[in-house]
Amino acid sequence: MIFVNDKISIRQLQILLILNIFGTGVLTLPRRATLYANQDGWISVLIAVLCAALLSLIVTTIANKFPSDSFYKYCGDLLSRPVAFVLAMGFVFKLIINLALELRFFGEVVRQTLLETTPFWAIALLILAIGGYAASKGYETRARLGEMLFLLVFLPIIFVFVVASFKTDVQNVMPVLQTPVDGLLRGAFYSGMSFRGIELCLLAFPFLSSPNNARKGVFFAVLAIGILMAIVAFLTIAAFGPADTEIQLFPMLQMMDHVEVPGSLLERQKAFIMSFWIISAFFIVNAYLFFSSLLMKSTFKKGTHSNYILLCAAAVFAVSLFVKTLSDAERYMELMFVTFDLFYLAALPILLLTVSSFKKLLNGGNRGSKNG
């Protein structure tokens, strides 16, 4: 292990997972869902939630078979060291590119809503510096910080959502289930982009104090945050209708900005909601830098963790500058989702679980032959 105090609880893992998932992806989730499923977009999100929860079981099952081993080690034991090296470097590439796209997306959202005259590179450098510093302090530090900020952020946001529910028109989501099945499934498929982060559980198990309880904990965390995201999609579509939701860049932020909180407790709900994504961006940056540098160190077995964090942060910053617009960022996000994201979230865990089960059966048969 890299750090002396590096063990976290299942509750802390759940909090970190929720903070990672409920990030910038939910800003465009209602628009993405209605694009394919119209007023039934929230149903597509529910389908995506169920699929994500099932995938979380697969991911945690294979990770729990090797709770104290690094990703590189157990992939090497199951698939050979050369294949493990390619998989580890592919994972690093995926984390760096995804983080660069998230950073560009986040930076542009902040510029358009809060800091119109601030250059993107300044926002990117600041969030990378803060996230990188926290990543250098270890996984437990991030977990403790997540515990402190979780309720502080989520309780006010849920309160605003409750108030927003009184400003919606349920007729905008009627009639229900009028979308063809292929439309619902396409909406569910692209809604799945918002659940990137579950695959980090492939890397997190060596840091758990009780890994045997992680499967259930991760499953319910994904289910809980997924249901909240479906509610967000439902409220947004009910507030604007599917046609308007489809054409707005950030429909959820627009809905929050039009909510009138009783007593004028909040003058600008959009700025208030954005405060969560600033915190969320910090946790996403922290997680991706931590795990990408951890993967590199465990693979090359040379250098220090901090040096790898600097290297990964520099790569993320360079790629984020290459992406010029939000539309480019979204297009590249979709490309990453249908290639690297789905591979590490679904295809690879299923492959590893299949190979592990086959080897277990084979070894059991060999022992039986020797005993016979």
Short mmCIF file of all heavy atoms in Angstrom, two decimals, residues 74-137:
data_model
loop_
_atom_site.label_atom_id
_atom_site.label_comp_id
_atom_site.label_asym_id
_atom_site.label_seq_id
_atom_site.Cartn_x
_atom_site.Cartn_y
_atom_site.Cartn_z
N TYR A 74 -4.29 -8.70 -10.43
CA TYR A 74 -5.27 -9.76 -10.65
C TYR A 74 -5.62 -9.93 -12.13
O TYR A 74 -5.97 -11.03 -12.56
CB TYR A 74 -6.50 -9.60 -9.76
CG TYR A 74 -7.45 -8.46 -10.01
CD1 TYR A 74 -8.32 -8.44 -11.10
CD2 TYR A 74 -7.54 -7.40 -9.10
CE1 TYR A 74 -9.23 -7.41 -11.29
CE2 TYR A 74 -8.46 -6.37 -9.28
CZ TYR A 74 -9.29 -6.37 -10.37
OH TYR A 74 -10.20 -5.36 -10.56
N CYS A 75 -5.48 -8.87 -12.93
CA CYS A 75 -5.63 -9.05 -14.37
C CYS A 75 -4.49 -9.91 -14.92
O CYS A 75 -4.70 -10.74 -15.81
CB CYS A 75 -5.65 -7.70 -15.08
SG CYS A 75 -7.22 -6.83 -14.93
N GLY A 76 -3.29 -9.70 -14.37
CA GLY A 76 -2.15 -10.53 -14.78
C GLY A 76 -2.33 -11.98 -14.40
O GLY A 76 -1.98 -12.89 -15.17
N ASP A 77 -2.86 -12.24 -13.21
CA ASP A 77 -3.09 -13.62 -12.78
C ASP A 77 -4.14 -14.33 -13.64
O ASP A 77 -4.05 -15.54 -13.88
CB ASP A 77 -3.55 -13.64 -11.32
CG ASP A 77 -2.45 -13.19 -10.36
OD1 ASP A 77 -1.27 -13.23 -10.76
OD2 ASP A 77 -2.78 -12.79 -9.23
N LEU A 78 -5.12 -13.56 -14.11
CA LEU A 78 -6.20 -14.18 -14.89
C LEU A 78 -5.93 -14.19 -16.39
O LEU A 78 -6.31 -15.14 -17.08
CB LEU A 78 -7.51 -13.42 -14.62
CG LEU A 78 -8.12 -13.53 -13.22
CD1 LEU A 78 -9.35 -12.64 -13.09
CD2 LEU A 78 -8.50 -14.98 -12.90
N LEU A 79 -5.27 -13.14 -16.91
CA LEU A 79 -5.17 -12.99 -18.36
C LEU A 79 -3.74 -12.90 -18.89
O LEU A 79 -3.57 -12.72 -20.10
CB LEU A 79 -5.93 -11.72 -18.79
CG LEU A 79 -7.41 -11.65 -18.42
CD1 LEU A 79 -7.98 -10.27 -18.78
CD2 LEU A 79 -8.20 -12.73 -19.15
N SER A 80 -2.75 -12.97 -18.04
CA SER A 80 -1.32 -12.87 -18.36
C SER A 80 -0.85 -11.43 -18.15
O SER A 80 -1.63 -10.48 -18.29
CB SER A 80 -0.99 -13.32 -19.79
OG SER A 80 -1.27 -12.31 -20.73
N ARG A 81 0.42 -11.27 -17.85
CA ARG A 81 0.99 -9.96 -17.55
C ARG A 81 0.99 -9.01 -18.76
O ARG A 81 0.68 -7.82 -18.59
CB ARG A 81 2.41 -10.11 -16.99
CG ARG A 81 2.44 -10.71 -15.58
CD ARG A 81 1.62 -9.86 -14.64
NE ARG A 81 1.42 -10.49 -13.36
CZ ARG A 81 2.23 -10.38 -12.31
NH1 ARG A 81 3.34 -9.65 -12.43
NH2 ARG A 81 1.96 -10.97 -11.18
N PRO A 82 1.33 -9.47 -19.97
CA PRO A 82 1.27 -8.53 -21.11
C PRO A 82 -0.13 -7.97 -21.33
O PRO A 82 -0.30 -6.78 -21.60
CB PRO A 82 1.72 -9.40 -22.29
CG PRO A 82 2.56 -10.46 -21.69
CD PRO A 82 1.93 -10.76 -20.37
N VAL A 83 -1.16 -8.83 -21.21
CA VAL A 83 -2.53 -8.35 -21.37
C VAL A 83 -2.88 -7.39 -20.24
O VAL A 83 -3.53 -6.36 -20.46
CB VAL A 83 -3.52 -9.54 -21.39
CG1 VAL A 83 -4.97 -9.03 -21.39
CG2 VAL A 83 -3.28 -10.40 -22.62
N ALA A 84 -2.43 -7.71 -19.03
CA ALA A 84 -2.70 -6.83 -17.88
C ALA A 84 -2.07 -5.46 -18.08
O ALA A 84 -2.66 -4.43 -17.70
CB ALA A 84 -2.18 -7.47 -16.60
N PHE A 85 -0.88 -5.43 -18.66
CA PHE A 85 -0.21 -4.15 -18.92
C PHE A 85 -1.04 -3.30 -19.89
O PHE A 85 -1.25 -2.10 -19.66
CB PHE A 85 1.19 -4.39 -19.50
CG PHE A 85 1.92 -3.13 -19.85
CD1 PHE A 85 2.62 -2.43 -18.87
CD2 PHE A 85 1.92 -2.64 -21.15
CE1 PHE A 85 3.30 -1.25 -19.18
CE2 PHE A 85 2.59 -1.47 -21.48
CZ PHE A 85 3.28 -0.78 -20.48
N VAL A 86 -1.53 -3.92 -20.96
CA VAL A 86 -2.35 -3.20 -21.94
C VAL A 86 -3.64 -2.70 -21.29
O VAL A 86 -4.06 -1.57 -21.50
CB VAL A 86 -2.67 -4.11 -23.14
CG1 VAL A 86 -3.67 -3.42 -24.09
CG2 VAL A 86 -1.40 -4.47 -23.90
N LEU A 87 -4.27 -3.55 -20.47
CA LEU A 87 -5.51 -3.17 -19.79
C LEU A 87 -5.29 -2.02 -18.81
O LEU A 87 -6.10 -1.09 -18.73
CB LEU A 87 -6.10 -4.37 -19.06
CG LEU A 87 -6.66 -5.49 -19.94
CD1 LEU A 87 -7.08 -6.69 -19.07
CD2 LEU A 87 -7.84 -5.00 -20.77
N ALA A 88 -4.18 -2.08 -18.07
CA ALA A 88 -3.88 -1.01 -17.10
C ALA A 88 -3.62 0.31 -17.81
O ALA A 88 -4.13 1.36 -17.40
CB ALA A 88 -2.69 -1.41 -16.24
N MET A 89 -2.84 0.28 -18.89
CA MET A 89 -2.56 1.51 -19.63
C MET A 89 -3.81 2.04 -20.33
O MET A 89 -4.01 3.25 -20.46
CB MET A 89 -1.43 1.28 -20.64
CG MET A 89 -0.07 1.02 -20.00
SD MET A 89 0.49 2.38 -18.92
CE MET A 89 0.03 1.75 -17.29
N GLY A 90 -4.65 1.12 -20.79
CA GLY A 90 -5.93 1.54 -21.38
C GLY A 90 -6.81 2.20 -20.35
O GLY A 90 -7.51 3.18 -20.65
N PHE A 91 -6.78 1.70 -19.13
CA PHE A 91 -7.56 2.29 -18.03
C PHE A 91 -7.04 3.69 -17.72
O PHE A 91 -7.81 4.63 -17.51
CB PHE A 91 -7.47 1.40 -16.79
CG PHE A 91 -8.70 1.41 -15.95
CD1 PHE A 91 -9.09 0.28 -15.24
CD2 PHE A 91 -9.50 2.54 -15.82
CE1 PHE A 91 -10.23 0.27 -14.45
CE2 PHE A 91 -10.64 2.55 -15.04
CZ PHE A 91 -11.00 1.41 -14.35
N VAL A 92 -5.72 3.83 -17.69
CA VAL A 92 -5.12 5.16 -17.45
C VAL A 92 -5.54 6.13 -18.55
O VAL A 92 -5.92 7.27 -18.28
CB VAL A 92 -3.58 5.05 -17.39
CG1 VAL A 92 -2.95 6.45 -17.36
CG2 VAL A 92 -3.15 4.26 -16.15
N PHE A 93 -5.46 5.67 -19.81
CA PHE A 93 -5.88 6.51 -20.93
C PHE A 93 -7.33 6.93 -20.78
O PHE A 93 -7.68 8.10 -20.98
CB PHE A 93 -5.68 5.73 -22.23
CG PHE A 93 -6.22 6.43 -23.45
CD1 PHE A 93 -5.49 7.41 -24.10
CD2 PHE A 93 -7.48 6.10 -23.96
CE1 PHE A 93 -6.00 8.06 -25.22
CE2 PHE A 93 -8.00 6.74 -25.07
CZ PHE A 93 -7.24 7.72 -25.71
N LYS A 94 -8.19 5.98 -20.44
CA LYS A 94 -9.62 6.26 -20.25
C LYS A 94 -9.84 7.31 -19.16
O LYS A 94 -10.61 8.26 -19.33
CB LYS A 94 -10.35 4.97 -19.89
CG LYS A 94 -11.75 5.17 -19.31
CD LYS A 94 -12.29 3.88 -18.75
CE LYS A 94 -13.16 4.07 -17.54
NZ LYS A 94 -14.17 5.12 -17.63
N LEU A 95 -9.16 7.16 -18.03
CA LEU A 95 -9.33 8.10 -16.91
C LEU A 95 -8.85 9.49 -17.29
O LEU A 95 -9.51 10.50 -16.96
CB LEU A 95 -8.59 7.58 -15.68
CG LEU A 95 -9.14 6.31 -15.03
CD1 LEU A 95 -8.23 5.85 -13.90
CD2 LEU A 95 -10.55 6.52 -14.51
N ILE A 96 -7.72 9.57 -17.97
CA ILE A 96 -7.17 10.88 -18.34
C ILE A 96 -8.08 11.58 -19.35
O ILE A 96 -8.39 12.78 -19.20
CB ILE A 96 -5.75 10.71 -18.89
CG1 ILE A 96 -4.78 10.37 -17.75
CG2 ILE A 96 -5.29 11.98 -19.61
CD1 ILE A 96 -3.36 10.09 -18.19
N ILE A 97 -8.52 10.86 -20.37
CA ILE A 97 -9.38 11.48 -21.39
C ILE A 97 -10.73 11.87 -20.79
O ILE A 97 -11.23 12.98 -21.04
CB ILE A 97 -9.58 10.53 -22.59
CG1 ILE A 97 -8.23 10.21 -23.25
CG2 ILE A 97 -10.53 11.15 -23.60
CD1 ILE A 97 -7.50 11.42 -23.78
N ASN A 98 -11.31 10.96 -20.02
CA ASN A 98 -12.61 11.28 -19.40
C ASN A 98 -12.50 12.49 -18.48
O ASN A 98 -13.40 13.34 -18.46
CB ASN A 98 -13.12 10.08 -18.61
CG ASN A 98 -13.85 9.07 -19.47
OD1 ASN A 98 -14.14 9.34 -20.63
ND2 ASN A 98 -14.13 7.90 -18.95
N LEU A 99 -11.42 12.56 -17.71
CA LEU A 99 -11.26 13.69 -16.80
C LEU A 99 -11.05 14.98 -17.57
O LEU A 99 -11.60 16.03 -17.19
CB LEU A 99 -10.09 13.44 -15.85
CG LEU A 99 -9.79 14.55 -14.85
CD1 LEU A 99 -11.05 14.92 -14.05
CD2 LEU A 99 -8.67 14.15 -13.90
N ALA A 100 -10.30 14.92 -18.66
CA ALA A 100 -10.10 16.12 -19.48
C ALA A 100 -11.42 16.62 -20.05
O ALA A 100 -11.68 17.83 -20.07
CB ALA A 100 -9.12 15.81 -20.61
N LEU A 101 -12.27 15.71 -20.50
CA LEU A 101 -13.57 16.09 -21.04
C LEU A 101 -14.48 16.63 -19.94
O LEU A 101 -15.20 17.62 -20.14
CB LEU A 101 -14.22 14.88 -21.73
CG LEU A 101 -13.48 14.35 -22.96
CD1 LEU A 101 -14.15 13.08 -23.47
CD2 LEU A 101 -13.43 15.40 -24.07
N GLU A 102 -14.48 15.98 -18.77
CA GLU A 102 -15.26 16.47 -17.64
C GLU A 102 -14.79 17.85 -17.23
O GLU A 102 -15.60 18.74 -16.91
CB GLU A 102 -15.14 15.51 -16.45
CG GLU A 102 -15.79 14.15 -16.64
CD GLU A 102 -17.28 14.18 -16.38
OE1 GLU A 102 -17.82 15.25 -16.03
OE2 GLU A 102 -17.92 13.12 -16.54
N LEU A 103 -13.48 18.05 -17.26
CA LEU A 103 -12.90 19.34 -16.86
C LEU A 103 -13.30 20.44 -17.85
O LEU A 103 -13.67 21.54 -17.44
CB LEU A 103 -11.38 19.23 -16.79
CG LEU A 103 -10.63 20.38 -16.13
CD1 LEU A 103 -11.02 20.51 -14.66
CD2 LEU A 103 -9.12 20.16 -16.24
N ARG A 104 -13.25 20.13 -19.13
CA ARG A 104 -13.67 21.11 -20.14
C ARG A 104 -15.15 21.42 -19.98
O ARG A 104 -15.57 22.58 -20.02
CB ARG A 104 -13.38 20.56 -21.53
CG ARG A 104 -14.05 21.30 -22.68
CD ARG A 104 -13.69 22.79 -22.69
NE ARG A 104 -12.36 23.06 -23.16
CZ ARG A 104 -11.89 24.29 -23.37
NH1 ARG A 104 -12.67 25.35 -23.16
NH2 ARG A 104 -10.66 24.48 -23.78
N PHE A 105 -15.95 20.38 -19.76
CA PHE A 105 -17.39 20.57 -19.59
C PHE A 105 -17.66 21.42 -18.36
O PHE A 105 -18.41 22.39 -18.41
CB PHE A 105 -18.06 19.19 -19.45
CG PHE A 105 -19.54 19.21 -19.69
CD1 PHE A 105 -20.05 19.00 -20.96
CD2 PHE A 105 -20.42 19.44 -18.66
CE1 PHE A 105 -21.40 19.01 -21.19
CE2 PHE A 105 -21.78 19.46 -18.88
CZ PHE A 105 -22.28 19.25 -20.14
N PHE A 106 -17.04 21.06 -17.24
CA PHE A 106 -17.25 21.78 -16.00
C PHE A 106 -16.79 23.23 -16.12
O PHE A 106 -17.49 24.16 -15.69
CB PHE A 106 -16.51 21.09 -14.87
CG PHE A 106 -16.44 21.90 -13.61
CD1 PHE A 106 -17.53 21.99 -12.75
CD2 PHE A 106 -15.28 22.60 -13.27
CE1 PHE A 106 -17.48 22.76 -11.61
CE2 PHE A 106 -15.23 23.35 -12.11
CZ PHE A 106 -16.32 23.43 -11.28
N GLY A 107 -15.62 23.42 -16.71
CA GLY A 107 -15.08 24.77 -16.85
C GLY A 107 -15.98 25.67 -17.67
O GLY A 107 -16.19 26.84 -17.33
N GLU A 108 -16.54 25.12 -18.76
CA GLU A 108 -17.43 25.92 -19.60
C GLU A 108 -18.74 26.23 -18.89
O GLU A 108 -19.30 27.31 -19.06
CB GLU A 108 -17.69 25.19 -20.92
CG GLU A 108 -16.48 25.11 -21.83
CD GLU A 108 -15.97 26.50 -22.21
OE1 GLU A 108 -16.78 27.44 -22.32
OE2 GLU A 108 -14.75 26.64 -22.40
N VAL A 109 -19.26 25.26 -18.11
CA VAL A 109 -20.48 25.52 -17.35
C VAL A 109 -20.26 26.64 -16.34
O VAL A 109 -21.09 27.54 -16.18
CB VAL A 109 -20.96 24.23 -16.63
CG1 VAL A 109 -22.13 24.54 -15.68
CG2 VAL A 109 -21.39 23.18 -17.63
N VAL A 110 -19.13 26.60 -15.64
CA VAL A 110 -18.81 27.65 -14.67
C VAL A 110 -18.68 29.00 -15.35
O VAL A 110 -19.17 30.02 -14.87
CB VAL A 110 -17.51 27.29 -13.91
CG1 VAL A 110 -17.03 28.48 -13.07
CG2 VAL A 110 -17.74 26.09 -13.00
N ARG A 111 -18.03 29.02 -16.51
CA ARG A 111 -17.87 30.28 -17.25
C ARG A 111 -19.21 30.85 -17.67
O ARG A 111 -19.44 32.06 -17.58
CB ARG A 111 -16.99 30.05 -18.48
CG ARG A 111 -15.51 29.85 -18.18
CD ARG A 111 -14.72 29.72 -19.46
NE ARG A 111 -14.81 30.95 -20.24
CZ ARG A 111 -14.54 31.03 -21.54
NH1 ARG A 111 -14.21 29.95 -22.21
NH2 ARG A 111 -14.63 32.17 -22.16
N GLN A 112 -20.10 30.02 -18.15
CA GLN A 112 -21.38 30.50 -18.66
C GLN A 112 -22.36 30.89 -17.55
O GLN A 112 -23.27 31.67 -17.80
CB GLN A 112 -22.02 29.44 -19.56
CG GLN A 112 -21.25 29.20 -20.84
CD GLN A 112 -21.97 28.25 -21.78
OE1 GLN A 112 -23.18 28.09 -21.70
NE2 GLN A 112 -21.23 27.61 -22.66
N THR A 113 -22.18 30.35 -16.35
CA THR A 113 -23.15 30.61 -15.28
C THR A 113 -22.61 31.52 -14.19
O THR A 113 -23.39 32.26 -13.57
CB THR A 113 -23.60 29.29 -14.64
OG1 THR A 113 -22.45 28.57 -14.14
CG2 THR A 113 -24.33 28.40 -15.64
N LEU A 114 -21.31 31.51 -13.92
CA LEU A 114 -20.79 32.25 -12.78
C LEU A 114 -19.65 33.21 -13.14
O LEU A 114 -19.64 34.36 -12.70
CB LEU A 114 -20.30 31.27 -11.70
CG LEU A 114 -21.34 30.34 -11.08
CD1 LEU A 114 -20.67 29.39 -10.10
CD2 LEU A 114 -22.44 31.14 -10.38
N LEU A 115 -18.66 32.75 -13.90
CA LEU A 115 -17.43 33.52 -14.14
C LEU A 115 -17.23 33.75 -15.63
O LEU A 115 -16.37 33.15 -16.26
CB LEU A 115 -16.23 32.77 -13.53
CG LEU A 115 -16.32 32.40 -12.05
CD1 LEU A 115 -15.16 31.52 -11.64
CD2 LEU A 115 -16.37 33.67 -11.19
N GLU A 116 -18.02 34.64 -16.20
CA GLU A 116 -18.06 34.82 -17.64
C GLU A 116 -16.75 35.33 -18.23
O GLU A 116 -16.43 35.05 -19.39
CB GLU A 116 -19.20 35.76 -18.01
CG GLU A 116 -20.58 35.21 -17.66
CD GLU A 116 -21.69 36.16 -18.05
OE1 GLU A 116 -21.38 37.22 -18.64
OE2 GLU A 116 -22.86 35.87 -17.76
N THR A 117 -16.00 36.10 -17.48
CA THR A 117 -14.77 36.69 -18.02
C THR A 117 -13.51 35.92 -17.64
O THR A 117 -12.41 36.30 -18.03
CB THR A 117 -14.62 38.14 -17.53
OG1 THR A 117 -14.57 38.16 -16.10
CG2 THR A 117 -15.78 39.00 -18.01
N THR A 118 -13.66 34.84 -16.86
CA THR A 118 -12.50 34.06 -16.43
C THR A 118 -12.13 33.06 -17.52
O THR A 118 -12.98 32.31 -17.99
CB THR A 118 -12.81 33.29 -15.13
OG1 THR A 118 -13.24 34.21 -14.14
CG2 THR A 118 -11.58 32.54 -14.64
N PRO A 119 -10.86 33.02 -17.94
CA PRO A 119 -10.46 32.06 -18.98
C PRO A 119 -10.55 30.62 -18.47
O PRO A 119 -10.34 30.36 -17.28
CB PRO A 119 -9.02 32.46 -19.29
CG PRO A 119 -8.54 33.18 -18.09
CD PRO A 119 -9.75 33.88 -17.51
N PHE A 120 -10.82 29.72 -19.39
CA PHE A 120 -10.97 28.31 -19.02
C PHE A 120 -9.70 27.77 -18.37
O PHE A 120 -9.77 27.02 -17.39
CB PHE A 120 -11.33 27.47 -20.25
CG PHE A 120 -11.14 26.00 -20.02
CD1 PHE A 120 -12.07 25.27 -19.29
CD2 PHE A 120 -10.02 25.34 -20.51
CE1 PHE A 120 -11.89 23.92 -19.05
CE2 PHE A 120 -9.83 23.99 -20.28
CZ PHE A 120 -10.77 23.28 -19.55
N TRP A 121 -8.53 28.12 -18.92
CA TRP A 121 -7.30 27.53 -18.41
C TRP A 121 -7.08 27.86 -16.94
O TRP A 121 -6.52 27.04 -16.19
CB TRP A 121 -6.10 27.98 -19.25
CG TRP A 121 -5.81 29.45 -19.22
CD1 TRP A 121 -6.20 30.38 -20.12
CD2 TRP A 121 -5.05 30.15 -18.21
NE1 TRP A 121 -5.75 31.63 -19.75
CE2 TRP A 121 -5.04 31.52 -18.60
CE3 TRP A 121 -4.39 29.76 -17.05
CZ2 TRP A 121 -4.39 32.49 -17.84
CZ3 TRP A 121 -3.74 30.73 -16.29
CH2 TRP A 121 -3.74 32.07 -16.69
N ALA A 122 -7.53 29.02 -16.49
CA ALA A 122 -7.37 29.39 -15.09
C ALA A 122 -8.25 28.52 -14.19
O ALA A 122 -7.82 28.05 -13.13
CB ALA A 122 -7.71 30.86 -14.90
N ILE A 123 -9.51 28.30 -14.63
CA ILE A 123 -10.41 27.43 -13.87
C ILE A 123 -9.85 26.01 -13.83
O ILE A 123 -9.86 25.35 -12.78
CB ILE A 123 -11.82 27.45 -14.50
CG1 ILE A 123 -12.40 28.85 -14.45
CG2 ILE A 123 -12.74 26.46 -13.79
CD1 ILE A 123 -13.71 29.01 -15.20
N ALA A 124 -9.36 25.52 -14.99
CA ALA A 124 -8.84 24.16 -15.07
C ALA A 124 -7.62 23.98 -14.18
O ALA A 124 -7.51 22.97 -13.45
CB ALA A 124 -8.49 23.83 -16.52
N LEU A 125 -6.70 24.92 -14.20
CA LEU A 125 -5.50 24.81 -13.37
C LEU A 125 -5.84 24.80 -11.89
O LEU A 125 -5.27 24.04 -11.10
CB LEU A 125 -4.55 25.97 -13.67
CG LEU A 125 -3.63 25.82 -14.88
CD1 LEU A 125 -2.75 27.06 -15.03
CD2 LEU A 125 -2.76 24.56 -14.75
N LEU A 126 -6.80 25.64 -11.49
CA LEU A 126 -7.17 25.73 -10.08
C LEU A 126 -7.77 24.41 -9.59
O LEU A 126 -7.37 23.89 -8.55
CB LEU A 126 -8.17 26.87 -9.88
CG LEU A 126 -8.66 27.07 -8.44
CD1 LEU A 126 -7.49 27.42 -7.53
CD2 LEU A 126 -9.72 28.16 -8.40
N ILE A 127 -8.73 23.85 -10.35
CA ILE A 127 -9.38 22.63 -9.91
C ILE A 127 -8.41 21.45 -9.96
O ILE A 127 -8.45 20.55 -9.11
CB ILE A 127 -10.65 22.35 -10.74
CG1 ILE A 127 -11.51 21.28 -10.06
CG2 ILE A 127 -10.32 21.94 -12.14
CD1 ILE A 127 -12.18 21.72 -8.81
N LEU A 128 -7.49 21.43 -10.94
CA LEU A 128 -6.49 20.36 -11.01
C LEU A 128 -5.51 20.45 -9.85
O LEU A 128 -5.11 19.43 -9.27
CB LEU A 128 -5.73 20.43 -12.34
CG LEU A 128 -6.42 19.83 -13.56
CD1 LEU A 128 -5.61 20.14 -14.82
CD2 LEU A 128 -6.60 18.33 -13.41
N ALA A 129 -5.12 21.67 -9.49
CA ALA A 129 -4.18 21.85 -8.38
C ALA A 129 -4.78 21.39 -7.07
O ALA A 129 -4.15 20.67 -6.29
CB ALA A 129 -3.75 23.32 -8.30
N ILE A 130 -6.04 21.79 -6.82
CA ILE A 130 -6.70 21.41 -5.57
C ILE A 130 -6.96 19.90 -5.55
O ILE A 130 -6.68 19.22 -4.54
CB ILE A 130 -8.01 22.19 -5.38
CG1 ILE A 130 -7.73 23.68 -5.28
CG2 ILE A 130 -8.75 21.71 -4.14
CD1 ILE A 130 -8.98 24.54 -5.27
N GLY A 131 -7.49 19.37 -6.64
CA GLY A 131 -7.77 17.94 -6.71
C GLY A 131 -6.51 17.11 -6.65
O GLY A 131 -6.49 16.05 -6.00
N GLY A 132 -5.46 17.55 -7.32
CA GLY A 132 -4.20 16.81 -7.29
C GLY A 132 -3.57 16.80 -5.91
O GLY A 132 -3.01 15.79 -5.47
N TYR A 133 -3.64 17.93 -5.21
CA TYR A 133 -3.09 18.00 -3.85
C TYR A 133 -3.82 17.02 -2.93
O TYR A 133 -3.19 16.28 -2.16
CB TYR A 133 -3.21 19.41 -3.30
CG TYR A 133 -2.78 19.54 -1.86
CD1 TYR A 133 -1.42 19.56 -1.52
CD2 TYR A 133 -3.71 19.62 -0.83
CE1 TYR A 133 -1.02 19.66 -0.20
CE2 TYR A 133 -3.32 19.72 0.49
CZ TYR A 133 -1.96 19.73 0.80
OH TYR A 133 -1.57 19.82 2.12
N ALA A 134 -5.15 16.99 -3.03
CA ALA A 134 -5.92 16.06 -2.20
C ALA A 134 -5.62 14.61 -2.56
O ALA A 134 -5.54 13.74 -1.70
CB ALA A 134 -7.41 16.34 -2.34
N ALA A 135 -5.42 14.33 -3.86
CA ALA A 135 -5.10 12.97 -4.30
C ALA A 135 -3.77 12.51 -3.73
O ALA A 135 -3.59 11.32 -3.42
CB ALA A 135 -5.08 12.91 -5.83
N SER A 136 -2.84 13.43 -3.57
CA SER A 136 -1.53 13.07 -3.02
C SER A 136 -1.59 12.70 -1.55
O SER A 136 -0.67 12.10 -1.01
CB SER A 136 -0.54 14.22 -3.23
OG SER A 136 -0.88 15.33 -2.39
N LYS A 137 -2.71 13.05 -0.87
CA LYS A 137 -2.85 12.76 0.55
C LYS A 137 -3.49 11.41 0.83
O LYS A 137 -3.63 11.02 1.98
CB LYS A 137 -3.66 13.88 1.23
CG LYS A 137 -3.02 15.25 1.16
CD LYS A 137 -1.65 15.23 1.81
CE LYS A 137 -0.97 16.58 1.71
NZ LYS A 137 0.38 16.57 2.31
#
